[in-house]
Amino acid sequence: MSRPNQGGAARWLPWTTGTTGLPRLYCLPFAGGSSHFFRAWTEPARRLDVEVVPVELPGHGTRLRDPLVTGMAAMVDALCEEVLREERGPYAILGHSMGAKIAYAVAEELERRPGATPPARLFVSGSLPASAAEPKPLHGLPDDALTAELSAMGGTPPEILANAELMEFMLPVIRADLTLLEQWHAPAGSRISCPITAFAGQDDQVVRAELSAGWADHTSASFALRVHPGDHFFLREEMDVMLGRIAAELHGRAVDLPAPGGV
C-alpha cells in the first residue's frame, strides 16, 4: 500500500514509496486536481512493472498551506529540481489537461539542462498541443460563470459545485491553475526529442479528440494518438486500458489493439 515518502521530496511526491527499480511515471493533474487523483493508479501500475508517482502541486491536496503558483517558469523550475533529485533510472511524465502542458514544459527544460536525463517518453491526455493558446480563457470569469463552466466540463461532482462554502475554498485554487494554463503556450515549432503519446476522449467537448493529433508537431521522435471512449475525464473509466498501453510503450512491448471507437 502506498504511503507518503520521507525527505525533501515529500511535498512534491507525497505518495512515493521509495526506490522500486521500476520505470517511473510522474503524473501531473488537471486544473484544481491533486495527487490524490492518481493514487488509484499506483497498485495497478505496479502489477504492470511501472511505478506511478503522483505529483502534488503547491497549494493543492497535501500542500494546501503552500502558496499557489500561477507562472509556468516557476512551476517548471521547481519540478525539474525535484525530478533531478529523485531520478536514478528511466522515467516518463504524464499530464492530464493542464498537467499535459506542464509536463511538456518540464520535458523541454530537462532536455536543455546540461547533465540532466530527460524523460524517455511523454504522455499527454485531454489537452490541446503545447503551442496552442486556450480558445476560451476562464481564469478571469466571475465565480458564478466559472462554476458553470466547471459544471459543463463534468469533472467536478455536482454536490461539490452546489456547496458554496467548499467552492469558496476551491475557486481560488482552480483560478490560479487556469491562470498558469491560459497565460502560457510553447513557441510555435518547439519540439522535444522523446516520443509523445497523446490520449483523448472521443466525446470530449473541452478538447476535441482530433485536436490532440497536433501534439505530433512537438516531437522529433515517434508519435501515437490513442482515442478512448468518454468525455474530458475519460481516464477515470479508462485507467486500466491506459495503464496497459503506457506499460507496453515503456517496456517496448507490442501495444494492445484499440478499444472500440479508438485509434
Side-chain angles (χ1 to χ4, degrees), residues 89-106:
Y91 69 96
I93 308 174
L94 177 146
H96 180 69
S97 197
M98 175 192 74
K101 296 281 187 79
I102 298 174
Y104 178 83
V106 167

Side-chain angles (χ1 to χ4, degrees), residues 97 126-129 134 200-201 204-212 232:
S97 197
S127 172
L128 291 171
E134 297 298 314
D204 189 343
Q205 300 303 306
V206 180
V207 178
R208 297 197 313 277
E210 62 269 22
L211 297 178
S212 296
H232 189 58

